[in-house]
Each structure stands twice: as C-alpha cells, then as structure tokens.
Amino acid sequence: MSIFHRSIKPDTATKESEISQTKKQKMDADYFENYGDIAIHEEMLRDKIRTNAYRMAILKNYKKFYGKTVLDVGAGTGILSLFCVQAGAKKVYAIEASEMAEQTRRIVKENEMEERIEIINCKVEEAELSEKVDIIVSEWMGYNLLYESMLESVLFARDKFLKKDGHMFPDRASLYIAPITDDDYTDRLCIWNDVEDFYKVSMKSMIPYARRCISKTVQIMCIPQEWIQSHGCQIFTSNLKTSSLSEIQKVQSNFEFKCFGHSTIHGFVTWFTVEFPDDITLTTSPYTDETHWSQTVLHIRDPFNVEQDTTINGSITIKPNDSKPRFLDICLVHKKDDGHEKIETFLMDEHLT
C-alpha cells in the first residue's frame, strides 16, 4: 500500500463528488453556450470537405434512409437532419442542447420539413424518444478526434435509442500520428537572438523559456506535407457500432517510425479519419484538402536530428482530464534508436493555438 494513500470519509467523498459534478455541469453549460454562437456554425458550414462528406454519405445510402427513423445527435443548424429527409427518412429526431435549437426550428420550417423533423432542445442524456431509431447520424469529432468528448454522448444514444440492426453514420473512426519537422520553430526562437540587433539589448536568456512554452502548448494548424518525416502510424480505431465507453475513454498505443532522411524532429502531428457505409471517408490528413479541424501538433522540449531509417519508438496515452473531462490529457513517450526515453505531457484545454 502506498504511504500516500488516504482514507476518505463518506461525507467528504460525497462533498468531493458534488463539487466534481458541479464543475462538470459548469463546463457543459459553457460548452453548449459556445455552440449557441453563430461563429462556430459558420466555420463548420464553410468547411465543404466536412459537410459534403456527410451529404454524400447520407444521399448515397438513401436505401438505408428511405422510410426510416433517424436520430441526429448534436444537430446544430440541422443540416444533417435536412440531408436525411432529402434521402427519404420518415422521421428525424434532431437533438440540440444549445440555444441554437430555436434557430434550427426556423431552418426546418424554412425548408418545409417540420412534419418530418422534430427538434428536441436538451442533452441527449436527458432525452426521451417514443421509439427506437434505425440510424444515428452525428458530427461529433473534435480536434485530435476526441477533444470535447462528444463521442461519449453518441455512444450513450446508440445504447439507448438504436435498434439492434441499426446503422451509425459514421460507423468507424481512426487516429494517426507521425513525427514532424517544423520550419517555423527556429524562426520563433530567433526573435530572442534578434532583439539585440533590433534594440541593442540582449534577451538570449529567454530561449529556454520559449522552448518550454512552445512544447507545452497544443497547436491546431494545417502543416505542409513536407514536414512529415515518416509514414503515419494508427494509434486508435473504433467500430462505433460495437465499441464500449471504456474503449474510447482512454487511448493508449505504441508507435514506431523509420525516418525518411536527414532532418530535425520538432514534434509529432495527429490527424483522424472517419468512415461511413458504402466506402465514404472523411479525413483530416495533411495529405488531403484542409478542413476546419486542421491537424494537431505536439512540440517536444528537445528537438533532435535524424537520418534515413533512424528509428523513433514510443507510446501515446490520451484520456479526458480528471477535473475538466471535455479537455484531454496527453502523455507522449519517445526515444531515438537506443537512446533514453523522453516523456512529454500536454493538456488540450481552451488555450489551443
């Protein structure tokens, strides 16, 4: 037994549980408030790669939708619900917990679909339907796939509302990682060398601090293909029809890379892919057109040089933050060839850059 183990009295445990629940409720309220703002919906609708992938997946699978009941989890403006009706759905339950739900009702009426789309303004965990559904559609993916933890709500809806022979749109999700060089990294550090030339005072002592700041901040950015220094490695995949909640609450995977050639490794990049029935794929890969998700970049504290076939081994763990579960804790362990392991930790919170 650890010497740091402490007993928690029942009343203390209850109080801590209540505090934790209060924090979660506050975070959920903030989350849904953000989705009531118009800006995030503008960004998603401007993402034609994202929106057309869903449109194509739904319309191409019209035989699955025709005459069926559908649940749209996190409906937003209701655009996926509209697509489902266009594909022949008999009834769509569009659940939207934010104040956007009122606007969604107007959009549904504008498109003369109010007899087939029912807007439900609550969290899916609080919703009640009069029937089981044939299909669940949801655009639940966040940065780094799992940021914001919406997938948990989708699986909750699946277990409560989906018929046994029902379909999930999308029905599979995967996450990938690769080492990168960053051409902008040196420029960001050079400013501290250049201060002396600009202003005749020295600030070189800032360089170690600047490195630490860069390495602890998760960046959301579209990276050039040429930054990638090895083939990507799949670190997570989920069959959304069968995966359990425990399987998605903690991602843990090993990786190994063989580098393409001479370069400096400044960090790692992740991207994701989701798949729909009938072989339709939506990806945020740096090798394809940009989406609003971009890629997720994790800079390391101590960049290192590599050559052709240099091996990088390691592991990555991704899980919801204990106190703020819509945020992510990431632990990255890596080593070059037979060198020493380095451990990097990151918090994906609201301070993404």
Side-chain angles (χ1 to χ4, degrees):
M1 179 182 294
S2 168
I3 62 172
F4 298 106
H5 175 79
R6 63 186 179 98
S7 299
I8 301 178
K9 296 179 182 179
D11 57 339
T12 305
T14 301
K15 191 170 184 178
E16 289 183 355
S17 176
E18 290 173 352
I19 292 171
S20 177
Q21 186 63 26
T22 301
K23 284 183 178 179
K24 185 178 186 304
Q25 290 172 349
K26 173 65 166 61
M27 192 173 190
D28 283 348
D30 292 343
Y31 171 74
F32 291 120
E33 183 179 349
N34 289 337
Y35 277 88
D37 184 78
I38 194 65
I40 194 166
H41 298 283
E42 291 172 352
E43 181 181 43
M44 289 189 287
L45 289 174
R46 285 196 179 102
D47 186 345
K48 294 182 180 179
I49 302 298
R50 163 232 185 230
T51 307
N52 278 326
Y54 273 87
R55 183 171 182 267
M56 179 66 71
I58 291 168
L59 297 183
K60 194 173 181 181
N61 282 279
Y62 71 93
K63 291 182 180 179
K64 290 183 173 68
F65 283 85
Y66 188 79
K68 301 298 184 180
T69 55
V70 181
L71 173 59
D72 181 359
V73 180
T77 58
I79 191 166
L80 302 188
S81 296
L82 302 178
F83 293 160
C84 291
V85 171
Q86 289 178 340
K90 175 178 66 177
K91 177 76 174 183
V92 180
Y93 299 97
I95 296 181
E96 174 53 46
S98 80
E99 64 181 26
M100 183 57 60
E102 186 56 38
Q103 301 304 317
T104 310
R105 288 191 179 93
R106 292 187 173 93
I107 291 170
V108 168
K109 186 175 182 179
E110 180 182 347
N111 286 273
E112 300 179 349
M113 295 181 182
E114 60 265 41
E115 292 186 3
R116 293 164 74 178
I117 299 176
E118 179 181 341
I119 309 300
I120 302 173
N121 185 200
C122 70
K123 296 194 293 186
V124 70
E125 291 84 357
E126 300 168 354
E128 295 295 337
L129 304 183
S130 60
E131 59 183 327
K132 295 275 189 177
V133 300
D134 300 290
I135 300 170
I136 291 178
V137 300
S138 182
E139 195 273 76
W140 53 266
M141 300 83 73
Y143 300 126
N144 198 40
L145 185 64
L146 300 173
Y147 182 69
E148 295 180 333
S149 299
M150 187 179 164
L151 180 54
E152 293 185 17
S153 296
V154 174
L155 297 191
F156 175 91
R158 178 200 67 188
D159 295 341
K160 185 174 181 179
F161 299 121
L162 187 65
K163 294 178 181 177
K164 288 186 177 180
D165 59 349
H167 301 282
M168 299 288 289
F169 278 69
D171 59 3
R172 183 172 291 276
S174 301
L175 184 63
Y176 300 85
I177 190 170
I180 61 165
T181 192
D182 182 347
D183 293 344
D184 298 333
Y185 182 91
T186 303
D187 291 340
R188 292 185 65 181
L189 296 181
C190 278
I191 182 62
W192 305 109
N193 279 319
D194 295 342
V195 166
E196 190 166 9
D197 293 333
F198 296 157
Y199 308 113
K200 307 308 177 187
V201 295
S202 179
M203 291 192 180
K204 294 183 177 66
S205 60
M206 281 289 293
I207 292 176
Y209 178 70
R211 287 183 187 275
R212 290 198 302 273
C213 290
I214 293 171
S215 67
K216 72 180 182 181
T217 304
V218 178
Q219 284 192 276
I220 305 302
M221 58 187 293
C222 290
I223 68 164
Q225 298 176 19
E226 57 269 22
W227 284 16
I228 299 177
Q229 299 303 306
S230 177
H231 295 295
C233 176
Q234 186 183 89
I235 54 174
F236 171 75
T237 188
S238 175
N239 181 333
L240 302 181
K241 183 69 186 295
T242 60
S243 289
S244 66
L245 189 60
S246 61
E247 290 174 320
I248 61 111
Q249 283 181 324
K250 185 177 182 180
V251 172
Q252 195 164 24
S253 179
N254 296 327
F255 54 75
E256 179 175 301
F257 304 109
K258 292 285 188 181
C259 294
F260 293 145
H262 291 268
S263 186
T264 300
I265 302 301
H266 293 103
F268 296 82
V269 63
T270 68
W271 67 89
F272 66 81
T273 295
V274 295
E275 300 170 37
F276 301 86
D278 211 8
D279 296 324
I280 295 170
T281 299
L282 168 60
T283 181
T284 64
S285 167
Y287 294 108
T288 59
D289 292 334
E290 295 179 7
T291 70
H292 78 279
W293 289 285
S294 304
Q295 290 89 42
T296 302
V297 174
L298 309 170
H299 286 102
I300 58 178
R301 287 189 303 273
D302 300 307
F304 56 90
N305 295 327
V306 295
E307 301 176 349
Q308 184 174 354
D309 292 332
T310 293
T311 300
I312 302 174
N313 291 291
S315 64
I316 187 169
T317 303
I318 305 171
K319 66 182 185 66
N321 180 263
D322 289 336
S323 61
K324 295 184 176 181
R326 291 197 182 275
F327 298 156
L328 295 177
D329 288 326
I330 302 174
C331 180
L332 184 68
V333 181
H334 61 90
K335 69 174 183 177
K336 170 185 167 182
D337 292 328
D338 296 323
H340 296 294
E341 284 188 344
K342 302 287 183 69
I343 301 176
E344 322 273 349
T345 58
F346 306 88
L347 172 62
M348 282 193 73
D349 57 10
E350 70 269 33
H351 302 298
L352 301 175
T353 61

